[in-house]
Amino acid sequence: MQLVEIAAPDFDLPMTLNSGQVFHWDKAGAGFVGTIGDEPVYLEQREDSLVASGGDEELLRNYFALDHPLSEICASFPDDLAMSAAKKFCRGLRIIRQPKWECLATFICSSMKQVAHIRQIARKLREQFGEARKIDGHRVVHTFPSAKRIAAASEEQLRECALGYRAKNLLGTARAAASGEADLEWWSALSDIDLRARLCALPGVGAKIANCVMLFAYERLRAFPIDVWIERVLRKQYFPRARKLNAARLRAFTEEYFGDHGGYAQQYLFHHARMSKTKGKSSGRVAGLSPSRT
DNA sequence: TTCCAGGTAACGC
DNA sequence: GCGTTACCTGGA
């Protein structure tokens, strides 16, 4: 088999793949199997390098954003307790560059779902509508179905992938993307404001999902998705006594406080909060923060 | 078993 | 504007 080894300093592969930005990588041996675009790939981290079977160096470097100046990005984070703890915990976590349609479609499926379930839905969509590809001639993975392929399915067929009410939204968005009415590639040229507006006009896409897609597929590193995890952290850390704090105010705060790399800061806070919660069984609090009062 | 989750969009005030 | 509610499903 053809192995590629590339230098990958300041990079933590398992953490990056398990941080809730991408949902299709499966553990396999000492590494992971999945796809980058339509390329089937096996990946493994060996100290400061990334070893891959399938895919070339350029593809890997681009997908994992190995060119992001991580230390500079981290240095630009605001200096506070929650941020420092998250920064320490998430060393090597990178915001990757995902294919636009795949990212958009996956996040439409994510609403009101936990990570484990999003993974299941993504897997079913791939198995049902994607194409099988072999890695090293044996291990089979499936590509993510094109917008055209999803658009050709019926809502009923999509519901069989456990999408529930999301099926209608996914189908609507797939049709818009397949017809060219929503030209995801062309949208790269838009400003953050305009891009967000276009995304939010698609069925099943609100502010949160639009921000996820902007961050994970359009490399808009300021985009700051606010979900229930992040909201808990923000409230606890930055507004401990605020009685009323609506979405608009929260958004204004994150925009100003976290700045140009807000998306990275968000991802670090998010991943740290999730991992702290699920690790210590009994303590339902976020590590590094004060316990919640009831 | 029952509850509710990493959200959106429609509705009522 | 702002808060409330229905929408599907399966894991805890």
Side-chain angles (χ1 to χ4, degrees), chain A residues 16-127:
Chain A
T16 297
L17 295 182
N18 291 323
S19 64
Q21 53 177 321
V22 65
F23 303 96
H24 71 283
W25 292 93
D26 289 325
K27 273 192 97 74
F32 300 84
V33 288
T35 58
I36 298 179
D38 288 342
E39 277 302 309
V41 179
Y42 168 81
L43 294 167
E44 187 181 317
Q45 179 150 28
R46 292 185 196 159
E47 302 192 354
D48 272 357
S49 61
L50 181 61
V51 176
S53 169
D56 58 26
E57 175 160 354
E58 195 191 333
L59 183 81
L60 295 163
R61 291 187 59 83
N62 181 63
Y63 186 72
F64 288 109
L66 295 180
D67 54 310
H68 282 172
L70 205 57
S71 52
E72 282 170 41
I73 289 171
C74 288
S76 78
F77 290 164
D79 186 14
D80 64 56
L81 225 59
M83 209 56 253
S84 306
K87 191 158 63 176
K88 192 171 164 197
F89 184 84
C90 299
R91 197 173 298 280
L93 170 48
R94 285 174 187 268
I95 304 278
I96 69 177
R97 294 190 184 97
Q98 298 185 42
K100 297 176 177 61
W101 161 249
E102 176 182 323
C103 181
L104 172 61
T106 305
F107 276 93
I108 285 174
C109 299
S110 77
S111 90
M112 286 295 292
K113 286 291 173 197
Q114 298 173 8
V115 170
H117 200 199
I118 301 169
R119 292 179 63 91
Q120 272 188 43
I121 293 175
R123 170 191 304 276
K124 283 182 187 167
L125 282 175
R126 283 170 183 270
E127 287 175 356

Side-chain angles (χ1 to χ4, degrees), chain A residues 33 46 78 117 124 133 151 166 168 202 222 229 258 288:
Chain A
V33 288
R46 292 185 196 159
H117 200 199
K124 283 182 187 167
R133 294 283 155 87
R166 302 162 195 81
K168 194 173 180 170
L202 295 168
R222 283 188 68 94
W229 289 93
F258 294 100

Side-chain angles (χ1 to χ4, degrees), chain A residues 113-210:
Chain A
K113 286 291 173 197
Q114 298 173 8
V115 170
H117 200 199
I118 301 169
R119 292 179 63 91
Q120 272 188 43
I121 293 175
R123 170 191 304 276
K124 283 182 187 167
L125 282 175
R126 283 170 183 270
E127 287 175 356
Q128 202 64 226
F129 304 106
E131 287 167 25
R133 294 283 155 87
K134 280 183 179 170
I135 301 173
D136 300 336
H138 62 282
R139 174 98 192 204
V140 174
V141 292
H142 294 263
T143 61
F144 193 83
S146 65
K148 217 168 233 169
R149 181 66 192 87
I150 298 280
S154 66
E155 185 180 328
E156 204 47 46
Q157 285 177 302
L158 293 177
R159 277 177 181 266
E160 283 166 19
C161 296
L163 264 73
Y165 66 88
R166 302 162 195 81
K168 194 173 180 170
N169 296 331
L170 181 61
L171 186 56
T173 294
R175 285 180 177 159
S179 72
E181 174 196 336
D183 189 336
L184 302 188
E185 294 304 326
W186 184 80
W187 289 0
S188 297
L190 297 174
S191 67
D192 286 3
I193 304 283
D194 291 343
L195 174 58
R196 185 175 290 112
R198 296 287 191 132
L199 288 167
C200 285
L202 295 168
V205 181
K208 193 271 180 182
I209 289 175

Side-chain angles (χ1 to χ4, degrees), chain A residues 227-244:
Chain A
D227 53 55
V228 303
W229 289 93
I230 283 297
E231 190 167 334
R232 275 180 217 142
V233 173
L234 294 178
R235 282 178 183 278
K236 209 172 278 187
Q237 182 66 23
Y238 307 104
F239 300 91
R241 275 179 293 283
R243 190 62 200 89
K244 61 180 270 199

